[in-house]
Amino acid sequence: MNGILVVLKKEVRENLRDRKAVFNSLLLAPILFPVLLIGMTWLGTSAQTERAERVLEIPVVGAEQAPNLIRYLEQHGVVIKPAPDDPESLVRSQKEPVIIRIPEIFGEQWQAGRPAEIEVIIDPSRPESDIPISRVKGLLRGFGSEIGLLRLQMRGVSPIVMSPLLIRDVDLSTPQSRGMIFMLFLPYILMITAFMGGMHLAIDTTAGEKERHSLEPLLINPVPRWQIMMGKLLATAIFGMASLVLTLIAFRITLPYLPLAALGVDLGLGAVAMVSILLVVAPIALMAAALLTVLATYAKSFREAQSYMGLVILIPMVPTLMFMSNPVKPEASMMPIPLFSQNLLISELVRGEAVPVQWLLYSAAGTLIFAFALMAFAATLFNRPRVMFSDS
Amino acid sequence: MIEVRNLHKSFGKVKAVSDMTFEARDGEITGLLGPNGAGKTTTLRMLYSLLPPDEGDIRIDGLDPTRDAMAIKTTLGVVPDSRGLYTRLTARENIRYFGELHNLPKQTIEERIESLAATLDMGEFIDRRTEGFSQGQRVKVAIARAMVHQPQTVLMDEPTNGLDVMSTRALREYIRSLKDSGQSVVLSTHIMQEVAALCDRIVIIAKGKVAATGTVDELISRSGRDTIEDAFVQLIGSEEGLMA
């Protein structure tokens, strides 16, 4: 067992001296991800408030057909722009998000008390026009129902008959659960951090050792090869964990600067939540270290190993993408699945939900079994001549 | 004391070593002399239990590398073909790492490093990171880390490869000092002068086989030539691989 510790200590010390390794493994994720997330949230909220509060300027074709409607719109702050020649092409080319066209038949229908046609020219496939579209439609609907009420009252009918249903939302989302972007990305970011933190070491301690021609002298020492491998693998896991801890701390520091209040969100990353999240992700760091070490051991050179790593980074993305397109309700039966369970559990923890202890245990056990299997496999690798002499 | 009997090793269809038999005694320097690709490195790798032989027996002080790998590794000092050092560690840390892998007490390691640094004249660079070391400096570190546990048997693969004249002289002196203290030294080389200057006993290897063994004088007289170089060409039957 002495061998494991000696190798572990040496790999950690050696890599702490490598500025590139320290930056890539320990500092990149804690700096990059909070900045990225804050930037994304900030952009999202500011764009949303801007669009919701900006003065609507809407071109109207045939404004003279419906002077009352135009007056209503102007009273509600809409600036009516003169009619363009070709409204469709203006919308299509994104010069205008919404154009209202009042057909000539409008006046006739209106006078007759029939539903009067009105066209709203839009392209709903443009997400940035969502807000103007819904504002214009809301105003038109408001005008319509105002007139409808007046007409009923003139005929001596109570306007209540128009409202057979009264729909009231009972909002059960807690303030935390509204931090959508944050919650969707935090599990993914943490999982990627566990992978990224160990990546440089996994390569340096295996493929790098081969490339430097120091593997053969190392294996001549009277230490069982599996112990040498385990020392390397655990050093990788330690870097992954360190990166995780630093990233969580970075989030805790930067969270107050997230403009979440604007979204009506109050996200807490308290000490208890942080420690729980760390415990949930820790087995992933071990599993990632084992997976990365196995792959890097097969590579002949640093460069070849790096190209494998590019693909590995995609693995933690799988559950996030799945949950994005197909949200699932967390259940005990999903907990033994590595990556999936952590993804669900972190979401629950950040949301401030109480998570059954049983789930935490299933998750840790499932991932650790997987990690141990990979470690057992890794332990045999230095016994393979193909792995040892791939350069000669 | 190394005894090798009827050793065989193939890689796929390539027979790297076939039916090799020789011995290396304590207090002697044994040279494995042969052209490049003759099977010297493969033989050494089997001796230090990095490769298992296909057939045949190896005994090092009575121990079998295939069965007593761990025990043999504590008695062997090996300077292998690949001399990779850890460039982000100092020379001292490189040597200390190997001492720790041998599970030596801290105090012992530090004392041995001091004495090796003195013997191998490493004082100037012992506490520098090995990044950018000259070939000679690298070989010295590689030797020091192989000797930190004071092995009884020393195996060196082309030890003077790439060294300048001064470093080569110093290294030969060091190897002689090992012999004088009763250790068994085996070195592989393709350089004739090395053998003539250093070795008590020579094992000439060609195409994975032992072509001849004996002292320098014995080999010269057996071949009927005047120099060890001519004797060597005569004994292996070609000049192939001697240009280096």
Side-chain angles (χ1 to χ4, degrees):
Chain A
M1 288 301 161
N2 167 63
I4 299 182
L5 206 66
V6 171
V7 173
L8 170 69
K9 262 174 24 196
K10 174 256 165 191
E11 296 297 356
V12 169
R13 164 184 300 180
E14 194 190 0
N15 277 285
L16 281 178
R17 284 194 190 162
D18 182 351
R19 235 173 279 157
K20 204 171 60 184
V22 168
F23 180 77
N24 282 343
S25 319
L26 297 182
L27 299 180
L28 187 61
I31 294 171
L32 179 70
F33 288 130
V35 168
L36 208 67
L37 212 57
I38 288 184
M40 268 163 48
T41 318
W42 186 81
L43 269 178
T45 46
S46 70
Q48 211 158 350
T49 37
E50 197 199 336
R51 279 199 296 267
E53 285 160 10
R54 200 174 16 192
V55 175
L56 267 180
E57 296 184 18
I58 306 293
V60 179
V61 182
E64 65 285 353
Q65 315 276 348
N68 286 335
L69 172 61
I70 299 300
R71 205 173 304 125
Y72 176 90
L73 290 176
E74 281 173 342
Q75 275 165 8
H76 285 81
V78 179
V79 173
I80 305 294
K81 291 207 286 190
D85 289 337
D86 186 359
E88 273 85 356
S89 75
L90 273 183
V91 169
R92 203 170 286 130
S93 61
Q94 285 179 275
K95 291 206 177 71
E96 294 289 346
V98 184
I99 295 179
I100 298 173
R101 180 160 55 202
I102 303 168
E104 280 179 29
I105 199 167
F106 181 89
E108 199 185 315
Q109 288 171 328
W110 183 264
Q111 296 299 335
R114 290 201 306 269
E117 261 175 59
I118 188 158
E119 289 171 0
V120 183
I121 303 164
I122 53 173
D123 180 357
S125 65
R126 308 266 180 211
E128 68 276 12
S129 56
D130 278 356
I131 289 174
I133 289 173
S134 72
R135 283 175 73 188
V136 166
K137 284 190 174 169
L139 285 170
L140 291 177
R141 223 172 277 128
F143 176 71
S145 61
E146 206 167 277
I147 300 299
L149 291 181
L150 282 174
R151 286 182 181 169
L152 282 176
Q153 273 175 336
M154 275 164 57
R155 286 167 177 77
V157 179
S158 165
I160 289 174
V161 297
M162 281 289 287
S163 313
L165 287 182
L166 176 62
I167 300 165
R168 193 189 294 143
D169 291 335
V170 182
D171 187 355
L172 284 186
S173 69
T174 56
Q176 279 106 326
S177 67
R178 260 170 258 144
M180 267 309 288
I181 302 187
F182 189 74
M183 279 189 342
L184 208 59
F185 281 96
L186 186 68
Y188 170 56
I189 285 175
L190 292 180
M191 234 86 78
I192 267 208
T193 305
F195 275 78
M196 260 175 57
M199 202 163 278
H200 190 95
L201 252 84
I203 302 177
D204 186 74
T205 58
T206 55
E209 184 114 51
K210 259 189 264 181
E211 203 170 85
R212 283 192 298 266
H213 300 289
S214 53
L215 183 61
E216 185 173 343
L218 175 62
L219 293 180
I220 296 169
N221 286 289
V223 175
R225 288 175 190 175
W226 68 267
Q227 289 191 12
I228 291 177
M229 183 53 111
M230 283 306 117
K232 290 170 177 296
L233 199 151
L234 290 177
T236 301
I238 284 176
F239 264 64
M241 274 305 283
S243 183
L244 262 178
V245 172
L246 290 176
T247 306
L248 273 174
I249 291 174
F251 270 122
R252 194 173 152 82
I253 294 170
T254 50
L255 213 53
Y257 301 100
L258 273 180
L260 292 170
L263 293 173
V265 170
D266 169 31
L267 264 182
L269 203 55
V272 178
M274 276 198 13
V275 172
S276 322
I277 289 177
L278 203 59
L279 287 177
V280 166
V281 195
I284 289 290
L286 192 63
M287 188 188 85
L291 184 65
L292 294 171
T293 307
V294 167
L295 283 178
T297 305
Y298 272 110
K300 290 183 186 66
S301 66
F302 212 95
R303 195 172 284 229
E304 188 187 334
Q306 270 176 328
S307 65
Y308 296 159
M309 299 298 136
L311 294 173
V312 175
I313 267 296
L314 297 178
I315 296 175
M317 219 192 269
V318 174
T320 308
L321 287 178
M322 271 190 61
F323 292 143
M324 241 189 224
S325 57
N326 182 21
V328 297
K329 195 166 131 288
E331 276 171 36
S333 61
M334 301 170 188
M335 291 304 143
I337 310 172
L339 295 172
F340 281 79
S341 69
Q342 281 82 8
N343 215 305
L344 293 167
L345 287 172
I346 295 170
S347 298
E348 295 290 295
L349 287 170
V350 176
R351 215 192 303 231
E353 306 273 347
V355 176
V357 180
Q358 219 177 354
W359 288 11
L360 298 175
L361 292 179
Y362 284 169
S363 162
T367 307
L368 283 178
I369 288 174
F370 200 70
F372 288 150
L374 275 169
M375 285 166 77
F377 178 65
T380 67
L381 284 182
F382 278 158
N383 287 327
R384 298 173 190 221
R386 203 181 81 80
V387 167
M388 252 186 308
F389 300 116
S390 50
D391 61 324
S392 60
Chain B
M1 176 79 180
I2 300 175
E3 295 154 282
V4 173
R5 305 247 171 284
N6 309 106
L7 205 59
H8 290 260
K9 181 72 187 176
S10 305
F11 299 104
K13 282 182 187 151
V14 184
K15 280 200 86 73
V17 171
S18 64
D19 202 26
M20 190 175 293
T21 302
F22 67 90
E23 48 177 63
R25 298 175 197 160
D26 287 349
E28 276 189 8
I29 301 172
T30 307
L32 303 183
L33 178 67
N36 292 328
K40 302 185 298 276
T41 297
T42 304
T43 306
L44 287 177
R45 280 179 172 166
M46 286 189 279
L47 288 180
Y48 53 77
S49 80
L50 196 72
L51 286 176
D54 295 339
E55 263 178 72
D57 272 324
I58 302 171
R59 291 288 180 278
I60 300 175
D61 296 332
L63 294 170
D64 179 352
T66 52
R67 270 178 302 160
D68 319 306
M70 286 303 135
I72 272 198
K73 283 172 172 181
T74 60
T75 70
L76 278 185
V78 184
V79 181
D81 184 33
S82 27
R83 314 244 158 87
L85 304 177
Y86 301 105
T87 52
R88 296 187 295 261
L89 299 181
T90 65
R92 187 188 295 277
E93 287 165 336
N94 267 284
I95 303 167
R96 188 185 290 144
Y97 181 39
F98 276 43
E100 286 169 348
L101 288 170
H102 275 276
N103 214 356
L104 300 174
K106 257 199 172 72
Q107 186 63 32
T108 315
I109 295 176
E110 300 312 318
E111 285 166 13
R112 301 245 174 103
I113 293 176
E114 284 311 318
S115 94
L116 282 164
T119 318
L120 293 166
D121 194 19
M122 301 168 70
E124 197 191 319
F125 55 86
I126 186 81
D127 284 312
R128 259 173 41 202
R129 293 197 190 174
T130 64
E131 176 100 68
F133 269 25
S134 73
Q135 188 75 13
Q137 290 171 328
R138 282 213 295 272
V139 171
K140 284 178 175 178
V141 179
I143 291 175
R145 73 177 177 189
M147 304 302 296
V148 68
H149 57 292
Q150 295 188 330
Q152 171 58 30
T153 308
V154 181
L155 307 176
M156 295 181 173
D157 201 351
E158 309 268 2
T160 57
N161 227 2
L163 294 191
D164 59 34
V165 181
M166 289 308 288
S167 309
T168 306
R169 275 177 69 92
L171 181 54
R172 285 183 187 160
E173 221 158 279
Y174 176 69
I175 295 175
R176 279 194 206 101
S177 77
L178 293 176
K179 159 190 153 177
D180 292 341
S181 56
Q183 276 145 311
S184 165
V185 181
V186 175
L187 52 91
S188 83
T189 183
H190 64 281
I191 305 165
M192 228 81 53
Q193 295 84 329
E194 182 119 315
V195 183
L198 207 53
C199 298
D200 302 300
R201 190 166 292 277
I202 299 166
V203 179
I204 295 180
I205 297 177
K207 299 194 178 109
K209 291 192 171 96
V210 175
T213 59
T215 63
V216 176
D217 293 338
E218 281 170 14
L219 290 174
I220 291 177
S221 67
R222 195 180 309 163
S223 67
R225 303 292 175 115
D226 298 333
T227 66
I228 179 70
E229 186 165 333
D230 290 340
F232 180 76
V233 173
Q234 165 83 18
L235 288 165
I236 68 167
S238 85
E239 294 192 28
E240 179 201 0
L242 283 177
M243 299 312 180

